[in-house]
Amino acid sequence: MRPLYLSLKKMPKFKRRLLLAALLALAVSSASWFSIFLLQLSEQKGHNLGLSAPLPPDSGPYHDWRLFAADFREMLQTFKIYVYPTNSNKSDPPSSSASFASFAAVFLPHPNPFNPKLGNYFSEHMFKISLLSSSLVTTDPQKAHLFFLPFSVNLLRNDPRVHSDSSIAEFVAKYTAAVGRDFKFWNASSGSDHFYACCHSVCREAAAKHAGLHNNAIQLTCSSSYFQRLYVTHKDVALPQVWPRPSLQSLNPPHARDKLVYFSGRIQNSNIRQQLIDLWGNDTRMDIFPGNPSYPYEEGFRRSKFCLHVKGNEVNTARVSDAIHYGCIPVIISNHYELPFANVLDWSKFSVIVNHGEVALLKKTLLSITRQSYVRLYRNLIKVRRHFVWHETPQGYDSFHMTAYQLWLKRSSLRLSA
């Protein structure tokens, strides 16, 4: 140490100050990346251990973590959901809905939910699978807070006997009417304590031919737009659109991300996407592709600081959850999109939201974010990753339990006698 001290002492004062400043900056930077590494490690442990993992000491990316955590635990202990029978076996009660027996696959869990072809409909199927393997299901409808109508719009769409938008709406209306005839619970609440789940765009009109279903029942949907004709914000629930991805892994730290922006997708169905291409299609700092990128799709999320979610035909895409999965800060350019879990998560603390009218200022906006602010967004993003993961058997604060919490908040403390 003494030779180092003597060398510093002989050095001109201004050079000594520069060196000390550089060493201090290096120490702060190292501490920052080390803290991010520890955060990732604790996040992975928390993901594996469920609710036994240490909880964040402050609200972080949450509006109020302590209030939410206490409420969440009460939900796990008390919330009960009744799933209507499918008539798929002899133990199911006889009913006029027996005419739907030949459509049993539409009501049963998907046999292969991780099939890549499911893509956008993965969340729809995983919700049902997770629900049926959760502790929230009750076989006694008298104890239920909510009632689940287990039809799958995605599977109806793929069934040649139904397929069209109009036929799907007709099928769903007949099925819901049969539930009302066969079970007394629908009429006890006019369907307000019933819900169904879907991620297919056809879901927008699936309830169109049954007034009670679209006016009263809760629609659990990925297409959660304020301007969707049959989506009612105070009644319905936004479902996170998630694609099947590898289990949570260590992320590229901020300093290893050499691109400012990444986006890849079709532009034919979006004026905003076309505008992005026109503005920055040739910008070397922004990887924006009108279609498939020149490298693996996932690589764009790993190497970029910000990843764009841009409205196409729908307000929703899986790019938000993909960005979160790979540690890329989501930039949400999708007006009127009700973001999942927005009453729990403060999206401004781990994403950037840009109005359609401000797209021309996008690069300026992102470059104005300081390194310190970016690291804060990144740290908060690590904390919310576990909320955008599905498991066949629900774990901790995963997508299923977070969605169930949204449903629990919709339950009524008062119910008409059944």
mmCIF file of all heavy atoms in Angstrom, residues 43 47 122-123 238-246 248 318 320-325 330 337 339-342 345 347 350 380-381 383-391 397-400 402-403:
data_model
loop_
_atom_site.group_PDB
_atom_site.id
_atom_site.type_symbol
_atom_site.label_atom_id
_atom_site.label_comp_id
_atom_site.label_asym_id
_atom_site.label_seq_id
_atom_site.Cartn_x
_atom_site.Cartn_y
_atom_site.Cartn_z
ATOM 1 N N GLU A 43 -34.648 -12.975 -6.582
ATOM 2 C CA GLU A 43 -35.886 -13.114 -7.354
ATOM 3 C C GLU A 43 -36.076 -14.550 -7.796
ATOM 4 O O GLU A 43 -37.165 -15.101 -7.741
ATOM 5 C CB GLU A 43 -35.819 -12.171 -8.558
ATOM 6 C CG GLU A 43 -37.104 -12.118 -9.384
ATOM 7 C CD GLU A 43 -37.061 -13.062 -10.564
ATOM 8 O OE1 GLU A 43 -35.990 -13.584 -10.877
ATOM 9 O OE2 GLU A 43 -38.121 -13.295 -11.154
ATOM 10 N N HIS A 47 -38.976 -17.048 -6.661
ATOM 11 C CA HIS A 47 -39.797 -17.737 -7.660
ATOM 12 C C HIS A 47 -39.930 -19.214 -7.311
ATOM 13 O O HIS A 47 -40.995 -19.805 -7.427
ATOM 14 C CB HIS A 47 -39.135 -17.564 -9.025
ATOM 15 C CG HIS A 47 -39.771 -18.352 -10.113
ATOM 16 N ND1 HIS A 47 -40.959 -17.989 -10.679
ATOM 17 C CD2 HIS A 47 -39.381 -19.496 -10.731
ATOM 18 C CE1 HIS A 47 -41.277 -18.864 -11.606
ATOM 19 N NE2 HIS A 47 -40.343 -19.783 -11.668
ATOM 20 N N PHE A 122 -51.895 -19.105 -25.096
ATOM 21 C CA PHE A 122 -51.270 -19.836 -23.998
ATOM 22 C C PHE A 122 -51.879 -19.440 -22.651
ATOM 23 O O PHE A 122 -52.207 -20.299 -21.819
ATOM 24 C CB PHE A 122 -49.766 -19.557 -24.009
ATOM 25 C CG PHE A 122 -48.978 -20.253 -22.930
ATOM 26 C CD1 PHE A 122 -48.856 -21.629 -22.902
ATOM 27 C CD2 PHE A 122 -48.342 -19.512 -21.940
ATOM 28 C CE1 PHE A 122 -48.119 -22.269 -21.911
ATOM 29 C CE2 PHE A 122 -47.595 -20.139 -20.952
ATOM 30 C CZ PHE A 122 -47.482 -21.517 -20.935
ATOM 31 N N SER A 123 -52.074 -18.156 -22.418
ATOM 32 C CA SER A 123 -52.609 -17.691 -21.127
ATOM 33 C C SER A 123 -54.024 -18.196 -20.894
ATOM 34 O O SER A 123 -54.396 -18.547 -19.770
ATOM 35 C CB SER A 123 -52.583 -16.164 -21.056
ATOM 36 O OG SER A 123 -51.260 -15.682 -20.957
ATOM 37 N N ALA A 238 -58.131 -7.659 -16.947
ATOM 38 C CA ALA A 238 -57.087 -7.796 -17.962
ATOM 39 C C ALA A 238 -56.225 -9.019 -17.651
ATOM 40 O O ALA A 238 -55.677 -9.140 -16.554
ATOM 41 C CB ALA A 238 -56.225 -6.541 -17.992
ATOM 42 N N LEU A 239 -56.110 -9.909 -18.630
ATOM 43 C CA LEU A 239 -55.312 -11.124 -18.487
ATOM 44 C C LEU A 239 -53.968 -10.907 -19.182
ATOM 45 O O LEU A 239 -53.925 -10.462 -20.326
ATOM 46 C CB LEU A 239 -56.048 -12.294 -19.142
ATOM 47 C CG LEU A 239 -55.431 -13.693 -19.059
ATOM 48 C CD1 LEU A 239 -55.423 -14.188 -17.623
ATOM 49 C CD2 LEU A 239 -56.218 -14.674 -19.940
ATOM 50 N N PRO A 240 -52.848 -11.169 -18.515
ATOM 51 C CA PRO A 240 -51.557 -10.964 -19.173
ATOM 52 C C PRO A 240 -51.364 -11.948 -20.317
ATOM 53 O O PRO A 240 -51.586 -13.142 -20.159
ATOM 54 C CB PRO A 240 -50.546 -11.217 -18.046
ATOM 55 C CG PRO A 240 -51.251 -12.135 -17.100
ATOM 56 C CD PRO A 240 -52.698 -11.723 -17.155
ATOM 57 N N GLN A 241 -50.964 -11.430 -21.469
ATOM 58 C CA GLN A 241 -50.712 -12.310 -22.616
ATOM 59 C C GLN A 241 -49.262 -12.767 -22.564
ATOM 60 O O GLN A 241 -48.340 -11.966 -22.715
ATOM 61 C CB GLN A 241 -50.992 -11.589 -23.930
ATOM 62 C CG GLN A 241 -50.876 -12.516 -25.124
ATOM 63 C CD GLN A 241 -51.531 -11.938 -26.369
ATOM 64 O OE1 GLN A 241 -51.996 -10.809 -26.368
ATOM 65 N NE2 GLN A 241 -51.578 -12.718 -27.425
ATOM 66 N N VAL A 242 -49.077 -14.054 -22.329
ATOM 67 C CA VAL A 242 -47.748 -14.631 -22.141
ATOM 68 C C VAL A 242 -47.569 -15.792 -23.103
ATOM 69 O O VAL A 242 -48.481 -16.601 -23.281
ATOM 70 C CB VAL A 242 -47.566 -15.121 -20.685
ATOM 71 C CG1 VAL A 242 -46.198 -15.756 -20.497
ATOM 72 C CG2 VAL A 242 -47.765 -13.976 -19.705
ATOM 73 N N TRP A 243 -46.417 -15.851 -23.725
ATOM 74 C CA TRP A 243 -46.066 -17.011 -24.548
ATOM 75 C C TRP A 243 -45.232 -17.966 -23.708
ATOM 76 O O TRP A 243 -44.544 -17.539 -22.776
ATOM 77 C CB TRP A 243 -45.260 -16.565 -25.771
ATOM 78 C CG TRP A 243 -46.098 -16.113 -26.927
ATOM 79 C CD1 TRP A 243 -47.139 -15.233 -26.885
ATOM 80 C CD2 TRP A 243 -45.961 -16.498 -28.295
ATOM 81 N NE1 TRP A 243 -47.662 -15.036 -28.125
ATOM 82 C CE2 TRP A 243 -46.947 -15.815 -29.029
ATOM 83 C CE3 TRP A 243 -45.096 -17.346 -28.963
ATOM 84 C CZ2 TRP A 243 -47.104 -15.954 -30.401
ATOM 85 C CZ3 TRP A 243 -45.250 -17.491 -30.349
ATOM 86 C CH2 TRP A 243 -46.246 -16.806 -31.051
ATOM 87 N N PRO A 244 -45.273 -19.265 -24.033
ATOM 88 C CA PRO A 244 -44.408 -20.208 -23.305
ATOM 89 C C PRO A 244 -42.944 -19.897 -23.570
ATOM 90 O O PRO A 244 -42.510 -19.876 -24.720
ATOM 91 C CB PRO A 244 -44.813 -21.579 -23.858
ATOM 92 C CG PRO A 244 -45.493 -21.305 -25.158
ATOM 93 C CD PRO A 244 -46.106 -19.948 -25.040
ATOM 94 N N ARG A 245 -42.190 -19.622 -22.529
ATOM 95 C CA ARG A 245 -40.771 -19.288 -22.636
ATOM 96 C C ARG A 245 -39.973 -20.163 -21.678
ATOM 97 O O ARG A 245 -40.530 -20.744 -20.748
ATOM 98 C CB ARG A 245 -40.538 -17.817 -22.302
ATOM 99 C CG ARG A 245 -41.234 -16.830 -23.248
ATOM 100 C CD ARG A 245 -40.716 -16.948 -24.650
ATOM 101 N NE ARG A 245 -41.356 -15.996 -25.573
ATOM 102 C CZ ARG A 245 -41.480 -16.216 -26.867
ATOM 103 N NH1 ARG A 245 -41.037 -17.340 -27.400
ATOM 104 N NH2 ARG A 245 -42.047 -15.312 -27.646
ATOM 105 N N PRO A 246 -38.645 -20.246 -21.861
ATOM 106 C CA PRO A 246 -37.819 -21.008 -20.909
ATOM 107 C C PRO A 246 -37.985 -20.449 -19.501
ATOM 108 O O PRO A 246 -38.363 -19.287 -19.321
ATOM 109 C CB PRO A 246 -36.392 -20.779 -21.422
ATOM 110 C CG PRO A 246 -36.550 -20.372 -22.850
ATOM 111 C CD PRO A 246 -37.850 -19.637 -22.935
ATOM 112 N N LEU A 248 -37.267 -18.846 -15.841
ATOM 113 C CA LEU A 248 -36.525 -17.628 -15.548
ATOM 114 C C LEU A 248 -35.038 -17.908 -15.386
ATOM 115 O O LEU A 248 -34.639 -18.811 -14.653
ATOM 116 C CB LEU A 248 -37.076 -16.977 -14.278
ATOM 117 C CG LEU A 248 -38.527 -16.476 -14.358
ATOM 118 C CD1 LEU A 248 -38.926 -15.822 -13.051
ATOM 119 C CD2 LEU A 248 -38.706 -15.501 -15.515
ATOM 120 N N ALA A 318 -47.856 -10.252 -26.905
ATOM 121 C CA ALA A 318 -46.996 -10.900 -25.910
ATOM 122 C C ALA A 318 -45.659 -10.187 -25.764
ATOM 123 O O ALA A 318 -44.820 -10.616 -24.960
ATOM 124 C CB ALA A 318 -46.777 -12.364 -26.286
ATOM 125 N N VAL A 320 -44.964 -7.434 -24.368
ATOM 126 C CA VAL A 320 -44.790 -6.873 -23.024
ATOM 127 C C VAL A 320 -44.200 -7.926 -22.094
ATOM 128 O O VAL A 320 -43.195 -7.691 -21.411
ATOM 129 C CB VAL A 320 -46.130 -6.349 -22.460
ATOM 130 C CG1 VAL A 320 -45.950 -5.902 -21.013
ATOM 131 C CG2 VAL A 320 -46.649 -5.188 -23.287
ATOM 132 N N SER A 321 -44.812 -9.104 -22.055
ATOM 133 C CA SER A 321 -44.312 -10.154 -21.165
ATOM 134 C C SER A 321 -42.962 -10.684 -21.642
ATOM 135 O O SER A 321 -42.115 -11.068 -20.827
ATOM 136 C CB SER A 321 -45.327 -11.298 -21.056
ATOM 137 O OG SER A 321 -45.603 -11.859 -22.323
ATOM 138 N N ASP A 322 -42.721 -10.690 -22.958
ATOM 139 C CA ASP A 322 -41.412 -11.108 -23.464
ATOM 140 C C ASP A 322 -40.332 -10.137 -23.000
ATOM 141 O O ASP A 322 -39.237 -10.551 -22.585
ATOM 142 C CB ASP A 322 -41.423 -11.176 -24.996
ATOM 143 C CG ASP A 322 -42.019 -12.477 -25.521
ATOM 144 O OD1 ASP A 322 -42.168 -13.428 -24.722
ATOM 145 O OD2 ASP A 322 -42.332 -12.539 -26.721
ATOM 146 N N ALA A 323 -40.611 -8.850 -23.092
ATOM 147 C CA ALA A 323 -39.646 -7.850 -22.636
ATOM 148 C C ALA A 323 -39.333 -8.043 -21.158
ATOM 149 O O ALA A 323 -38.162 -8.035 -20.743
ATOM 150 C CB ALA A 323 -40.194 -6.441 -22.886
ATOM 151 N N ILE A 324 -40.369 -8.256 -20.359
ATOM 152 C CA ILE A 324 -40.171 -8.458 -18.923
ATOM 153 C C ILE A 324 -39.365 -9.731 -18.676
ATOM 154 O O ILE A 324 -38.464 -9.757 -17.838
ATOM 155 C CB ILE A 324 -41.541 -8.510 -18.209
ATOM 156 C CG1 ILE A 324 -42.217 -7.138 -18.278
ATOM 157 C CG2 ILE A 324 -41.393 -8.965 -16.760
ATOM 158 C CD1 ILE A 324 -43.648 -7.134 -17.796
ATOM 159 N N HIS A 325 -39.681 -10.780 -19.413
ATOM 160 C CA HIS A 325 -38.996 -12.061 -19.238
ATOM 161 C C HIS A 325 -37.499 -11.938 -19.487
ATOM 162 O O HIS A 325 -36.685 -12.518 -18.760
ATOM 163 C CB HIS A 325 -39.593 -13.104 -20.181
ATOM 164 C CG HIS A 325 -38.961 -14.460 -20.085
ATOM 165 N ND1 HIS A 325 -39.316 -15.383 -19.122
ATOM 166 C CD2 HIS A 325 -37.977 -15.044 -20.820
ATOM 167 C CE1 HIS A 325 -38.585 -16.475 -19.273
ATOM 168 N NE2 HIS A 325 -37.761 -16.299 -20.296
ATOM 169 N N PRO A 330 -40.017 -2.443 -21.047
ATOM 170 C CA PRO A 330 -41.086 -2.305 -22.050
ATOM 171 C C PRO A 330 -41.396 -0.831 -22.313
ATOM 172 O O PRO A 330 -41.500 -0.037 -21.374
ATOM 173 C CB PRO A 330 -42.289 -3.003 -21.392
ATOM 174 C CG PRO A 330 -41.758 -3.730 -20.205
ATOM 175 C CD PRO A 330 -40.514 -3.022 -19.785
ATOM 176 N N TYR A 337 -55.082 0.850 -23.605
ATOM 177 C CA TYR A 337 -54.785 -0.510 -23.136
ATOM 178 C C TYR A 337 -54.828 -0.523 -21.610
ATOM 179 O O TYR A 337 -54.069 0.173 -20.961
ATOM 180 C CB TYR A 337 -53.395 -0.908 -23.636
ATOM 181 C CG TYR A 337 -52.935 -2.319 -23.283
ATOM 182 C CD1 TYR A 337 -53.820 -3.310 -22.870
ATOM 183 C CD2 TYR A 337 -51.578 -2.649 -23.388
ATOM 184 C CE1 TYR A 337 -53.381 -4.586 -22.577
ATOM 185 C CE2 TYR A 337 -51.127 -3.932 -23.095
ATOM 186 C CZ TYR A 337 -52.030 -4.897 -22.685
ATOM 187 O OH TYR A 337 -51.589 -6.158 -22.387
ATOM 188 N N LEU A 339 -53.644 -2.150 -18.668
ATOM 189 C CA LEU A 339 -52.520 -3.050 -18.410
ATOM 190 C C LEU A 339 -52.848 -4.041 -17.298
ATOM 191 O O LEU A 339 -53.542 -3.693 -16.332
ATOM 192 C CB LEU A 339 -51.279 -2.232 -18.043
ATOM 193 C CG LEU A 339 -50.731 -1.371 -19.184
ATOM 194 C CD1 LEU A 339 -49.788 -0.303 -18.665
ATOM 195 C CD2 LEU A 339 -50.031 -2.250 -20.214
ATOM 196 N N PRO A 340 -52.348 -5.274 -17.397
ATOM 197 C CA PRO A 340 -52.628 -6.283 -16.360
ATOM 198 C C PRO A 340 -52.112 -5.853 -14.987
ATOM 199 O O PRO A 340 -51.040 -5.243 -14.874
ATOM 200 C CB PRO A 340 -51.866 -7.520 -16.862
ATOM 201 C CG PRO A 340 -51.700 -7.309 -18.328
ATOM 202 C CD PRO A 340 -51.562 -5.825 -18.513
ATOM 203 N N PHE A 341 -52.889 -6.161 -13.969
ATOM 204 C CA PHE A 341 -52.513 -5.957 -12.560
ATOM 205 C C PHE A 341 -52.226 -4.484 -12.247
ATOM 206 O O PHE A 341 -51.453 -4.168 -11.334
ATOM 207 C CB PHE A 341 -51.286 -6.811 -12.188
ATOM 208 C CG PHE A 341 -51.279 -8.198 -12.750
ATOM 209 C CD1 PHE A 341 -50.113 -8.762 -13.257
ATOM 210 C CD2 PHE A 341 -52.435 -8.972 -12.771
ATOM 211 C CE1 PHE A 341 -50.095 -10.049 -13.778
ATOM 212 C CE2 PHE A 341 -52.437 -10.263 -13.289
ATOM 213 C CZ PHE A 341 -51.260 -10.796 -13.793
ATOM 214 N N ALA A 342 -52.856 -3.564 -12.980
ATOM 215 C CA ALA A 342 -52.528 -2.142 -12.845
ATOM 216 C C ALA A 342 -52.918 -1.569 -11.485
ATOM 217 O O ALA A 342 -52.399 -0.526 -11.090
ATOM 218 C CB ALA A 342 -53.203 -1.342 -13.961
ATOM 219 N N LEU A 345 -49.559 -3.148 -9.581
ATOM 220 C CA LEU A 345 -48.262 -2.731 -10.115
ATOM 221 C C LEU A 345 -48.316 -1.291 -10.604
ATOM 222 O O LEU A 345 -49.255 -0.899 -11.309
ATOM 223 C CB LEU A 345 -47.856 -3.630 -11.279
ATOM 224 C CG LEU A 345 -47.740 -5.131 -10.986
ATOM 225 C CD1 LEU A 345 -47.349 -5.882 -12.253
ATOM 226 C CD2 LEU A 345 -46.748 -5.403 -9.874
ATOM 227 N N TRP A 347 -46.911 0.658 -13.186
ATOM 228 C CA TRP A 347 -46.196 0.401 -14.434
ATOM 229 C C TRP A 347 -45.183 1.501 -14.762
ATOM 230 O O TRP A 347 -44.216 1.255 -15.478
ATOM 231 C CB TRP A 347 -47.188 0.226 -15.581
ATOM 232 C CG TRP A 347 -47.822 -1.130 -15.595
ATOM 233 C CD1 TRP A 347 -48.843 -1.584 -14.801
ATOM 234 C CD2 TRP A 347 -47.462 -2.242 -16.428
ATOM 235 N NE1 TRP A 347 -49.147 -2.894 -15.090
ATOM 236 C CE2 TRP A 347 -48.321 -3.321 -16.089
ATOM 237 C CE3 TRP A 347 -46.521 -2.418 -17.439
ATOM 238 C CZ2 TRP A 347 -48.243 -4.562 -16.716
ATOM 239 C CZ3 TRP A 347 -46.447 -3.653 -18.074
ATOM 240 C CH2 TRP A 347 -47.294 -4.713 -17.712
ATOM 241 N N PHE A 350 -41.453 0.533 -13.954
ATOM 242 C CA PHE A 350 -40.648 -0.482 -14.648
ATOM 243 C C PHE A 350 -40.913 -0.502 -16.154
ATOM 244 O O PHE A 350 -40.469 -1.407 -16.858
ATOM 245 C CB PHE A 350 -40.874 -1.883 -14.062
ATOM 246 C CG PHE A 350 -42.301 -2.386 -14.146
ATOM 247 C CD1 PHE A 350 -42.725 -3.147 -15.217
ATOM 248 C CD2 PHE A 350 -43.203 -2.086 -13.145
ATOM 249 C CE1 PHE A 350 -44.028 -3.608 -15.297
ATOM 250 C CE2 PHE A 350 -44.519 -2.551 -13.200
ATOM 251 C CZ PHE A 350 -44.922 -3.312 -14.286
ATOM 252 N N ASN A 380 -36.643 -2.673 -10.740
ATOM 253 C CA ASN A 380 -38.061 -2.928 -10.515
ATOM 254 C C ASN A 380 -38.590 -3.986 -11.479
ATOM 255 O O ASN A 380 -39.466 -4.792 -11.122
ATOM 256 C CB ASN A 380 -38.852 -1.634 -10.665
ATOM 257 C CG ASN A 380 -38.693 -0.707 -9.472
ATOM 258 O OD1 ASN A 380 -38.448 -1.162 -8.350
ATOM 259 N ND2 ASN A 380 -38.798 0.588 -9.695
ATOM 260 N N LEU A 381 -38.064 -3.980 -12.709
ATOM 261 C CA LEU A 381 -38.474 -4.990 -13.685
ATOM 262 C C LEU A 381 -38.133 -6.394 -13.189
ATOM 263 O O LEU A 381 -38.936 -7.328 -13.334
ATOM 264 C CB LEU A 381 -37.777 -4.721 -15.020
ATOM 265 C CG LEU A 381 -38.189 -5.621 -16.191
ATOM 266 C CD1 LEU A 381 -39.593 -5.261 -16.654
ATOM 267 C CD2 LEU A 381 -37.214 -5.502 -17.339
ATOM 268 N N LYS A 383 -38.092 -7.379 -10.203
ATOM 269 C CA LYS A 383 -39.030 -7.733 -9.136
ATOM 270 C C LYS A 383 -40.382 -8.211 -9.660
ATOM 271 O O LYS A 383 -41.062 -8.994 -8.986
ATOM 272 C CB LYS A 383 -39.234 -6.536 -8.202
ATOM 273 C CG LYS A 383 -37.999 -6.143 -7.415
ATOM 274 C CD LYS A 383 -38.281 -4.921 -6.547
ATOM 275 C CE LYS A 383 -37.029 -4.487 -5.789
ATOM 276 N NZ LYS A 383 -37.269 -3.280 -4.967
ATOM 277 N N VAL A 384 -40.794 -7.720 -10.845
ATOM 278 C CA VAL A 384 -42.131 -8.089 -11.337
ATOM 279 C C VAL A 384 -42.116 -9.290 -12.272
ATOM 280 O O VAL A 384 -43.179 -9.750 -12.687
ATOM 281 C CB VAL A 384 -42.815 -6.892 -12.050
ATOM 282 C CG1 VAL A 384 -42.886 -5.677 -11.134
ATOM 283 C CG2 VAL A 384 -42.124 -6.539 -13.361
ATOM 284 N N ARG A 385 -40.945 -9.801 -12.615
ATOM 285 C CA ARG A 385 -40.879 -10.922 -13.574
ATOM 286 C C ARG A 385 -41.742 -12.102 -13.135
ATOM 287 O O ARG A 385 -42.403 -12.742 -13.962
ATOM 288 C CB ARG A 385 -39.435 -11.408 -13.737
ATOM 289 C CG ARG A 385 -38.529 -10.479 -14.502
ATOM 290 C CD ARG A 385 -37.111 -11.032 -14.520
ATOM 291 N NE ARG A 385 -36.905 -12.048 -15.531
ATOM 292 C CZ ARG A 385 -35.972 -12.985 -15.480
ATOM 293 N NH1 ARG A 385 -35.171 -13.072 -14.425
ATOM 294 N NH2 ARG A 385 -35.829 -13.859 -16.446
ATOM 295 N N ARG A 386 -41.728 -12.420 -11.864
ATOM 296 C CA ARG A 386 -42.453 -13.597 -11.367
ATOM 297 C C ARG A 386 -43.963 -13.500 -11.593
ATOM 298 O O ARG A 386 -44.664 -14.520 -11.591
ATOM 299 C CB ARG A 386 -42.177 -13.768 -9.872
ATOM 300 C CG ARG A 386 -42.566 -12.553 -9.032
ATOM 301 C CD ARG A 386 -42.202 -12.764 -7.586
ATOM 302 N NE ARG A 386 -42.402 -11.532 -6.814
ATOM 303 C CZ ARG A 386 -42.388 -11.471 -5.500
ATOM 304 N NH1 ARG A 386 -42.190 -12.570 -4.803
ATOM 305 N NH2 ARG A 386 -42.569 -10.335 -4.867
ATOM 306 N N HIS A 387 -44.478 -12.280 -11.798
ATOM 307 C CA HIS A 387 -45.917 -12.116 -12.004
ATOM 308 C C HIS A 387 -46.352 -12.450 -13.425
ATOM 309 O O HIS A 387 -47.554 -12.526 -13.697
ATOM 310 C CB HIS A 387 -46.336 -10.676 -11.680
ATOM 311 C CG HIS A 387 -45.949 -10.217 -10.306
ATOM 312 N ND1 HIS A 387 -46.107 -11.013 -9.198
ATOM 313 C CD2 HIS A 387 -45.423 -9.050 -9.872
ATOM 314 C CE1 HIS A 387 -45.681 -10.349 -8.127
ATOM 315 N NE2 HIS A 387 -45.261 -9.167 -8.505
ATOM 316 N N PHE A 388 -45.401 -12.647 -14.327
ATOM 317 C CA PHE A 388 -45.719 -12.895 -15.730
ATOM 318 C C PHE A 388 -45.226 -14.276 -16.161
ATOM 319 O O PHE A 388 -44.727 -14.461 -17.269
ATOM 320 C CB PHE A 388 -45.113 -11.785 -16.598
ATOM 321 C CG PHE A 388 -45.737 -10.442 -16.322
ATOM 322 C CD1 PHE A 388 -45.253 -9.636 -15.294
ATOM 323 C CD2 PHE A 388 -46.828 -10.007 -17.045
ATOM 324 C CE1 PHE A 388 -45.836 -8.414 -15.011
ATOM 325 C CE2 PHE A 388 -47.423 -8.779 -16.767
ATOM 326 C CZ PHE A 388 -46.925 -7.987 -15.752
ATOM 327 N N VAL A 389 -45.392 -15.239 -15.249
ATOM 328 C CA VAL A 389 -45.013 -16.630 -15.495
ATOM 329 C C VAL A 389 -46.176 -17.526 -15.079
ATOM 330 O O VAL A 389 -46.756 -17.336 -13.991
ATOM 331 C CB VAL A 389 -43.753 -17.022 -14.680
ATOM 332 C CG1 VAL A 389 -43.392 -18.484 -14.938
ATOM 333 C CG2 VAL A 389 -42.578 -16.110 -15.026
ATOM 334 N N TRP A 390 -46.542 -18.477 -15.943
ATOM 335 C CA TRP A 390 -47.593 -19.448 -15.630
ATOM 336 C C TRP A 390 -46.975 -20.769 -15.188
ATOM 337 O O TRP A 390 -45.930 -21.166 -15.700
ATOM 338 C CB TRP A 390 -48.473 -19.707 -16.852
ATOM 339 C CG TRP A 390 -49.334 -18.556 -17.253
ATOM 340 C CD1 TRP A 390 -49.078 -17.646 -18.240
ATOM 341 C CD2 TRP A 390 -50.598 -18.194 -16.698
ATOM 342 N NE1 TRP A 390 -50.092 -16.732 -18.329
ATOM 343 C CE2 TRP A 390 -51.042 -17.045 -17.398
ATOM 344 C CE3 TRP A 390 -51.393 -18.728 -15.681
ATOM 345 C CZ2 TRP A 390 -52.258 -16.421 -17.113
ATOM 346 C CZ3 TRP A 390 -52.598 -18.095 -15.391
ATOM 347 C CH2 TRP A 390 -53.025 -16.965 -16.096
ATOM 348 N N HIS A 391 -47.630 -21.452 -14.256
ATOM 349 C CA HIS A 391 -47.231 -22.792 -13.842
ATOM 350 C C HIS A 391 -48.459 -23.699 -13.889
ATOM 351 O O HIS A 391 -49.572 -23.258 -13.596
ATOM 352 C CB HIS A 391 -46.683 -22.797 -12.411
ATOM 353 C CG HIS A 391 -45.484 -21.918 -12.219
ATOM 354 N ND1 HIS A 391 -45.560 -20.674 -11.634
ATOM 355 C CD2 HIS A 391 -44.185 -22.112 -12.537
ATOM 356 C CE1 HIS A 391 -44.351 -20.131 -11.598
ATOM 357 N NE2 HIS A 391 -43.500 -20.974 -12.138
ATOM 358 N N TYR A 397 -46.501 -15.712 -6.285
ATOM 359 C CA TYR A 397 -47.148 -14.566 -6.924
ATOM 360 C C TYR A 397 -47.084 -14.684 -8.443
ATOM 361 O O TYR A 397 -46.786 -13.720 -9.131
ATOM 362 C CB TYR A 397 -46.472 -13.279 -6.463
ATOM 363 C CG TYR A 397 -46.568 -13.026 -4.974
ATOM 364 C CD1 TYR A 397 -45.563 -13.450 -4.110
ATOM 365 C CD2 TYR A 397 -47.655 -12.351 -4.437
ATOM 366 C CE1 TYR A 397 -45.645 -13.224 -2.743
ATOM 367 C CE2 TYR A 397 -47.744 -12.115 -3.069
ATOM 368 C CZ TYR A 397 -46.737 -12.544 -2.232
ATOM 369 O OH TYR A 397 -46.829 -12.316 -0.883
ATOM 370 N N ASP A 398 -47.371 -15.841 -8.993
ATOM 371 C CA ASP A 398 -47.270 -16.041 -10.434
ATOM 372 C C ASP A 398 -48.493 -15.474 -11.156
ATOM 373 O O ASP A 398 -49.387 -14.871 -10.536
ATOM 374 C CB ASP A 398 -47.045 -17.513 -10.770
ATOM 375 C CG ASP A 398 -48.250 -18.400 -10.454
ATOM 376 O OD1 ASP A 398 -49.261 -17.893 -9.904
ATOM 377 O OD2 ASP A 398 -48.193 -19.600 -10.752
ATOM 378 N N SER A 399 -48.550 -15.660 -12.475
ATOM 379 C CA SER A 399 -49.636 -15.086 -13.272
ATOM 380 C C SER A 399 -50.998 -15.551 -12.802
ATOM 381 O O SER A 399 -51.958 -14.771 -12.775
ATOM 382 C CB SER A 399 -49.456 -15.448 -14.755
ATOM 383 O OG SER A 399 -48.396 -14.734 -15.328
ATOM 384 N N PHE A 400 -51.097 -16.843 -12.452
ATOM 385 C CA PHE A 400 -52.403 -17.331 -12.016
ATOM 386 C C PHE A 400 -52.857 -16.653 -10.732
ATOM 387 O O PHE A 400 -53.977 -16.147 -10.647
ATOM 388 C CB PHE A 400 -52.392 -18.845 -11.808
ATOM 389 C CG PHE A 400 -53.678 -19.312 -11.161
ATOM 390 C CD1 PHE A 400 -54.843 -19.391 -11.909
ATOM 391 C CD2 PHE A 400 -53.744 -19.608 -9.799
ATOM 392 C CE1 PHE A 400 -56.044 -19.767 -11.311
ATOM 393 C CE2 PHE A 400 -54.933 -19.983 -9.201
ATOM 394 C CZ PHE A 400 -56.091 -20.062 -9.963
ATOM 395 N N MET A 402 -51.866 -13.881 -9.374
ATOM 396 C CA MET A 402 -52.096 -12.447 -9.575
ATOM 397 C C MET A 402 -53.440 -12.205 -10.263
ATOM 398 O O MET A 402 -54.166 -11.269 -9.928
ATOM 399 C CB MET A 402 -50.960 -11.851 -10.400
ATOM 400 C CG MET A 402 -49.623 -11.800 -9.693
ATOM 401 S SD MET A 402 -49.581 -10.631 -8.301
ATOM 402 C CE MET A 402 -49.593 -9.059 -9.172
ATOM 403 N N THR A 403 -53.783 -13.069 -11.221
ATOM 404 C CA THR A 403 -55.072 -12.951 -11.901
ATOM 405 C C THR A 403 -56.210 -13.311 -10.954
ATOM 406 O O THR A 403 -57.255 -12.644 -10.933
ATOM 407 C CB THR A 403 -55.105 -13.859 -13.141
ATOM 408 O OG1 THR A 403 -54.015 -13.511 -14.008
ATOM 409 C CG2 THR A 403 -56.409 -13.716 -13.894
#
